[in-house]
């Protein structure tokens, strides 16, 4: 005869008991604040990229230089940092971007309204984020050469 609870050797029952215990557990607010603060520091080593171009903010072209109206196209953004530029287009279905100069790495999509996602950047610096984030987001780009760049918050739709 053992002193083990009857759920100890039953995996399914053990998982049910564990799930109930986790749902009932309440972390102190000070623990939650410390966890959020630690998570925010994961991008502390990134250089903040400066927004150089936003097609939403660009003024109209002079009358003699205007082309034929082509309707609304993708939103174009250009960010620059000391050794790296980031060109981004926001389409209805995806965010497409490229690093200049082109190099491989990863782009972490940081979202205000939920968990982020990491996407690969290929050898020529190209990346695609699908689908387009619904809410505000920012990009934390890290190259395999060690450069780290962080954009400001981007609103995908007006």
């Amino acid at each position: 005869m053992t002193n083990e609870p009857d759920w100890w050797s039953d995996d399914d029952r053990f998982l049910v008991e564990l799930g109930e215990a986790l749902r009932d557990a309440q972390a102190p607010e000070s623990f939650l604040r410390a966890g959020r603060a630690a998570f925010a520091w994961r991008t502390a080593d990134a250089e903040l990229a400066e927004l150089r171009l936003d097609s939403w903010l660009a003024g109209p072209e002079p009358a003699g230089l205007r082309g034929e109206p082509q309707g609304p196209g993708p939103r174009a953004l250009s960010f620059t940092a000391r050794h790296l530029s980031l060109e981004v287009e926001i389409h209805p279905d995806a965010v497409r971007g490229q690093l200049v100069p082109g190099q491989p790495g990863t782009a972490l999509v940081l979202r205000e309204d939920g968990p982020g996602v990491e996407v690969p950047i290929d050898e020529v610096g190209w990346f695609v984020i699908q689908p387009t984030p619904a809410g505000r987001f920012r990009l934390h780009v890290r190259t395999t050469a060690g450069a780290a760049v962080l954009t400001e918050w981007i609103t995908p739709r007006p």
Side-chain angles (χ1 to χ4, degrees):
M1 182 163 208
T2 65
N3 292 334
E4 294 176 349
D6 61 342
W7 50 264
W8 188 256
S9 56
D10 180 355
D11 290 343
D12 293 330
R13 183 130 183 246
F14 175 73
L15 290 175
V16 169
E17 294 283 337
L18 181 61
E20 288 175 10
L22 290 174
R23 274 189 296 280
D24 293 341
Q26 294 294 321
E29 184 58 34
S30 61
F31 281 31
L32 297 174
R33 278 195 309 274
R36 288 185 202 109
F39 186 70
W41 275 96
R42 74 193 181 289
T43 59
D45 65 334
E47 178 183 0
L48 188 59
E50 181 180 355
L51 179 64
R52 291 291 189 166
L53 169 84
D54 184 342
S55 62
W56 279 4
L57 304 177
E61 295 178 328
L65 299 178
R66 280 190 208 132
E68 291 296 316
Q70 298 178 5
R75 179 180 180 194
L77 300 159
S78 181
F79 297 93
T80 59
R82 190 176 27 217
H83 302 292
L84 190 65
S85 293
L86 179 60
E87 306 298 324
V88 177
E89 285 187 350
I90 302 176
H91 298 262
D93 64 331
V95 175
R96 294 173 178 87
Q98 185 168 19
L99 302 181
V100 178
Q103 53 193 295
T106 57
L108 177 62
V109 182
L110 304 169
R111 296 177 24 187
E112 271 189 330
D113 62 349
V117 64
E118 190 172 87
V119 296
I121 300 173
D122 70 14
E123 302 77 35
V124 295
W126 178 255
F127 62 93
V128 178
I129 301 161
Q130 286 183 304
T132 300
R136 285 179 12 133
F137 67 96
R138 66 193 317 178
L139 299 173
H140 179 234
V141 173
R142 188 172 298 276
T143 68
T144 55
V149 175
L150 183 67
T151 68
E152 63 185 62
W153 289 101
I154 301 166
T155 304
R157 293 179 186 92

